[in-house]
Amino acid sequence: LFFIMGSLLFLSLRTKRHQANLRLEKERYQTVFELTSGVLWEFDIKTKTLIKSDPDLGIQTGLAKTEDFGNYVLENSIILDEDIPIFEAFYQSLLEGEEHIHYELRAKDISGEYQWFELTATTIVNADKEPVVVIGQTVNINAKKKELEALRQLSDLDPLTKIPNRGCAGHTINELLSASDASLTHAFLLIDLDNFKSVNSLYGYVFGDALLLEFSTKLKKHFSHLNHVLSRFGGDEFILFLHDIPSTAYAKEQAENILQLLQDMFLQQ
């Protein structure tokens, strides 16, 4: 009897210590959360239930407590279709109680709009080292993603003409060629504005830049509806990759159109 009571007392003390440790862990995460922006959540691995500190923040389920969290999110089309595999991987990480979890995906917010969210979490284990609860945070990073995308686009564009630069065009052309059937016909045009340096010398670089901008604008307008790649190669040189064309005669026709475009432009000057 004394042995049994001693064992029960030991189990009771161990349970209380474990509960105290859990409270300390949650308090620690709550403190970290209060110093950042986002919503704190707790996922119970056994019941598959997720509880949020604020139901209006983060990925929008409309609930402070979401039972069968994974299926509920997928059945209600909360995740952008393209990012569903990412969410499934994230949910599997929750169920397996991975020590550290980090994912980024697009999901609906309270307005019903798809936003970028960052999901970070850490798993808490019990006295037997078994994962029981995942404590995490969801932060809206949509503004950050838009800023990075804007910077990426700027790095891909020629600063004057705002058409793809040499590096961006090369990457796009390689992708098109890799995905193309060998039976397709393509053409590559190099457009070199002869004696353009004399324009800069006679009229100044501001005038020269204005001409390059006007020329690139006309090229964009002419080829915007076609699956071709236009780029400023550098200085007064442009390239045009004609993708999947009907014949070589088509390429010759487009080259003549560009010459006519240039002639009309300079006659207007």
Side-chain angles (χ1 to χ4, degrees), residues 67-81:
E67 297 178 352
D68 197 10
F69 173 67
N71 287 331
Y72 182 90
V73 169
L74 293 174
E75 289 172 0
N76 287 276
S77 304
I78 295 171
I79 306 298
L80 187 71
D81 287 347

Side-chain angles (χ1 to χ4, degrees), residues 28-259:
R28 181 165 66 88
Y29 277 97
Q30 183 65 42
T31 300
V32 172
F33 166 72
E34 289 170 354
L35 296 174
T36 59
S37 59
V39 59
L40 191 71
W41 46 265
E42 175 183 320
F43 179 76
D44 187 300
I45 297 174
K46 184 177 181 180
T47 64
K48 301 179 182 179
T49 299
L50 186 136
I51 300 174
K52 292 201 296 183
S53 60
D54 188 332
D56 295 333
L57 295 179
I59 296 174
Q60 188 54 222
T61 61
L63 303 168
K65 181 179 181 180
T66 308
E67 297 178 352
D68 197 10
F69 173 67
N71 287 331
Y72 182 90
V73 169
L74 293 174
E75 289 172 0
N76 287 276
S77 304
I78 295 171
I79 306 298
L80 187 71
D81 287 347
E82 185 180 336
D83 290 353
I84 286 178
I86 301 175
F87 175 79
E88 290 175 337
F90 162 69
Y91 188 60
Q92 189 62 35
S93 296
L94 294 180
L95 295 176
E96 293 177 1
E98 292 183 9
E99 184 178 0
H100 299 294
I101 299 171
H102 179 266
Y103 288 89
E104 292 180 0
L105 52 75
R106 286 161 290 184
K108 289 180 180 178
D109 65 356
I110 192 171
S111 69
E113 299 291 328
Y114 286 109
Q115 303 278 314
W116 274 102
F117 291 100
E118 181 181 43
L119 310 168
T120 54
T122 297
T123 299
I124 297 174
V125 298
N126 60 20
D128 297 322
K129 304 299 181 182
E130 298 171 336
V132 288
V133 174
V134 182
I135 303 295
Q137 177 182 291
T138 301
V139 177
N140 187 316
I141 57 171
N142 207 59
K144 175 184 174 183
K145 283 287 187 178
K146 284 186 175 181
E147 182 180 346
L148 290 173
E149 177 61 20
L151 290 173
R152 186 196 66 79
Q153 289 183 1
L154 283 175
S155 69
D156 287 343
L157 299 180
D158 174 66
L160 174 64
T161 62
K162 299 299 185 291
I163 62 176
N165 56 31
R166 182 192 306 192
C168 176
H171 178 73
T172 304
I173 292 170
N174 284 332
E175 284 190 334
L176 288 171
L177 289 174
S178 298
S180 294
D181 189 274
S183 62
L184 297 181
T185 301
H186 313 291
F188 188 87
L189 304 182
L190 175 62
I191 307 161
D192 187 358
L193 305 181
D194 290 337
N195 302 316
F196 193 78
K197 287 183 179 180
S198 61
V199 173
N200 287 329
S201 299
L202 289 172
Y203 302 104
Y205 286 97
V206 173
F207 183 80
D209 286 349
L211 279 180
L212 290 173
L213 182 57
E214 182 181 355
F215 178 57
S216 64
T217 300
K218 290 181 180 295
L219 283 176
K220 279 193 293 185
K221 184 177 181 181
H222 184 74
F223 292 103
S224 61
H225 64 292
L226 302 171
N227 188 24
H228 302 326
V229 180
L230 173 66
S231 168
R232 185 182 181 191
F233 197 67
D236 56 5
E237 294 179 336
F238 295 80
I239 59 171
L240 180 64
F241 176 72
L242 304 175
H243 175 256
D244 188 14
I245 59 176
S247 63
T248 54
Y250 174 87
K252 182 179 179 181
E253 179 186 346
Q254 295 307 316
E256 291 173 347
N257 288 338
I258 294 171
L259 289 174

